[in-house]
Amino acid sequence: MLNIAYVGFGKSTNRYHIPYVQQRPDKFHIRRVVAPHINKRPDDRAKLEANGTIFSTDIQDIIADDKLDLVVVVTPAPTHFAVAKELLSAGKNVLTDKPVVATVKEVKELIDLATQNNAFFMPFQNRRFDSDFLTLQHVLKTGYVGRPIELELHMDHYRPNDAKQSGGVMDTTWFDHGAHLVDQMVSLFGKPQHVAYDLRVVRDLTATLSDQFEVNLFYKDAFKATIQSSEITTVHYPKWILHGTKGSYIKYNIDQQEYDLKTGIMPGDTGFGIDAPQDYGKVTYYNQNNDRIEKVIPTITGDYGRVYDAVYETLVNQQEKLVSNEQLLTTISILEAGAAAPSPHIVNFDN
């Protein structure tokens, strides 16, 4: 069993991390939680303390604890680099929430620190286990659509009044949602040859932080992937649109985990994360006899806890990391390049 410590005890820790770890009592024990405000969630704290979790406000308590096997950083994004650096310098294994850092220079420093101290370091890319993403992977592998030509991935909301006036690049929608969407594309297709960026300020034209993006990733064999996110979309696009040489696949709506977690339905509850049949995607393709086939593809159930399963396999059974250092570097380089120049602009990654 691995002993875990959390740095941070806010919404993300209690929604996207702890509920999944608690479904794996044979693999993980939450030994410590360190946060500046540990009394904001008294009921959650009491439940954890009843199972032996120690709460405190000083990260040195984690650094001094030689019984810890993994530290999970779930602090505000701009603090990730400093916190992860301190932990890795102390030889701790670190799983860091996204976006990990703002620059390639920073991520290289953290990777080097982990290597020097023989420590584990990886981003928490839980949306590799979105149900819709797992199903899209299945559609690609089965070859229904033939050779992929165009792929669109959307993450849309209607949040007209949540615009941030100012901040750093890690406060932008591009680094927030983009960190997930870029990672999904990198995990499927690797490093693109070119990337075209369109990052805009849409909700509050006086703000300095972009809150909408459309980014095109160009790959070999005439393939293009488009990732897009808007915070003022009242009628959402399909989540996935895939066109290939033999057919197309369209899937509306996001992973049901997201809806359930926000309403207090947790992993282990009946029906958690199960997609409704009306939300299943549909593939339309031509078979070898040139017959037009329409087929509903049942959604593969997602599970964000599988990130923890992967970490366990790496730390205990020496399996390869779920997110490789190369993939992490590629994702951060794409994110950094998007914010490094005024949009629209194009960056060549084919080197």
Side-chain angles (χ1 to χ4, degrees):
M1 180 180 293
L2 300 181
N3 286 309
I4 297 178
Y6 284 97
V7 184
F9 195 58
K11 178 187 70 177
S12 292
T13 307
N14 286 277
R15 179 182 291 177
Y16 297 106
H17 291 267
I18 289 177
Y20 291 95
V21 167
Q22 291 174 328
Q23 292 297 304
R24 294 159 167 80
D26 58 323
K27 293 182 178 178
F28 302 102
H29 168 64
I30 302 173
R31 177 172 169 82
R32 286 188 178 274
V33 173
V34 166
H37 307 290
I38 56 176
N39 296 316
K40 281 190 173 181
R41 298 174 177 267
D43 293 340
D44 294 326
R45 175 181 174 180
K47 291 176 183 177
L48 287 169
E49 286 181 326
N51 287 309
T53 301
I54 305 166
F55 280 75
S56 65
T57 59
D58 192 345
I59 196 172
Q60 294 302 317
D61 295 333
I62 287 176
I63 291 174
D65 191 337
D66 60 5
K67 294 183 179 180
L68 289 172
D69 301 296
L70 177 69
V71 183
V72 185
V73 178
V74 201
T75 57
T79 69
H80 287 173
F81 174 71
V83 175
K85 181 178 179 178
E86 184 174 11
L87 292 168
L88 290 169
S89 297
K92 300 298 183 183
N93 296 319
V94 177
L95 180 68
T96 305
D97 220 349
K98 64 83 202 171
V100 179
V101 292
T103 68
V104 170
K105 179 182 178 181
E106 289 176 335
V107 79
K108 284 183 176 178
E109 183 174 346
L110 295 182
I111 289 171
D112 288 345
L113 267 176
T115 301
Q116 292 165 16
N117 290 288
N118 195 30
F120 170 91
F121 171 61
M122 197 182 82
F124 181 71
Q125 288 291 4
N126 61 315
R127 293 193 181 275
R128 289 198 182 192
F129 299 106
D130 268 339
S131 62
D132 51 88
F133 179 68
L134 295 172
T135 309
L136 185 280
Q137 282 182 306
H138 168 71
V139 170
L140 285 168
K141 288 178 181 178
T142 55
Y144 283 124
V145 304
R147 175 168 56 85
I149 300 298
E150 290 189 348
L151 176 64
E152 289 186 31
L153 168 56
H154 293 264
M155 183 177 282
D156 300 321
H157 306 93
Y158 184 65
R159 300 167 176 169
N161 301 315
D162 292 346
K164 295 180 180 179
Q165 286 289 331
S166 60
V169 293
M170 296 184 81
D171 297 308
T172 62
T173 299
W174 171 232
F175 265 79
D176 184 10
H177 301 331
H180 284 309
L181 306 190
V182 172
D183 174 74
Q184 288 182 331
M185 295 302 97
V186 169
S187 71
L188 286 174
F189 307 111
K191 180 187 287 188
Q193 295 176 322
H194 302 85
V195 179
Y197 297 92
D198 176 10
L199 279 57
R200 285 179 282 161
V201 178
V202 173
R203 286 175 291 183
D204 183 347
L205 298 180
T206 66
T208 60
L209 293 179
S210 64
D211 56 2
Q212 180 163 312
F213 63 82
E214 179 179 338
V215 174
N216 306 122
L217 296 87
F218 296 88
Y219 290 87
K220 65 179 182 179
D221 299 327
F223 174 65
K224 180 180 76 172
T226 298
I227 55 176
Q228 188 169 356
S229 181
S230 170
E231 301 295 333
I232 55 167
T233 304
T234 55
V235 179
H236 294 177
Y237 291 93
K239 180 68 185 293
W240 296 93
I241 303 172
L242 171 64
H243 299 299
T245 55
K246 294 181 180 179
S248 300
Y249 171 74
I250 296 178
K251 167 74 169 76
Y252 283 85
N253 221 333
I254 65 173
D255 189 327
Q256 188 63 37
Q257 288 180 93
E258 186 80 7
Y259 293 130
D260 287 349
L261 291 167
K262 288 180 178 179
T263 58
I265 303 171
M266 291 291 145
D269 292 346
T270 301
F272 174 80
I274 304 298
D275 214 7
Q278 62 265 27
D279 289 328
Y280 290 170
K282 179 187 289 186
V283 63
T284 304
Y285 65 99
Y286 286 86
N287 65 14
Q288 292 179 342
N289 296 323
N290 206 35
D291 300 317
R292 180 184 171 93
I293 308 295
E294 291 188 0
K295 186 173 183 178
V296 173
I297 307 295
T299 306
I300 298 171
T301 302
D303 181 1
Y304 296 154
R306 287 174 60 184
V307 177
Y308 279 94
D309 293 336
V311 172
Y312 181 90
E313 289 301 317
T314 299
L315 294 180
V316 175
N317 297 317
Q318 291 75 54
Q319 297 297 309
E320 293 293 325
K321 291 192 296 185
L322 171 69
V323 183
S324 69
N325 289 341
E326 181 181 0
Q327 289 174 334
L328 174 57
L329 282 164
T330 297
T331 296
I332 297 301
S333 67
I334 293 171
L335 291 172
E336 181 182 13
S343 285
H345 67 287
I346 298 175
V347 177
N348 177 18
F349 287 90
D350 193 14
N351 51 52

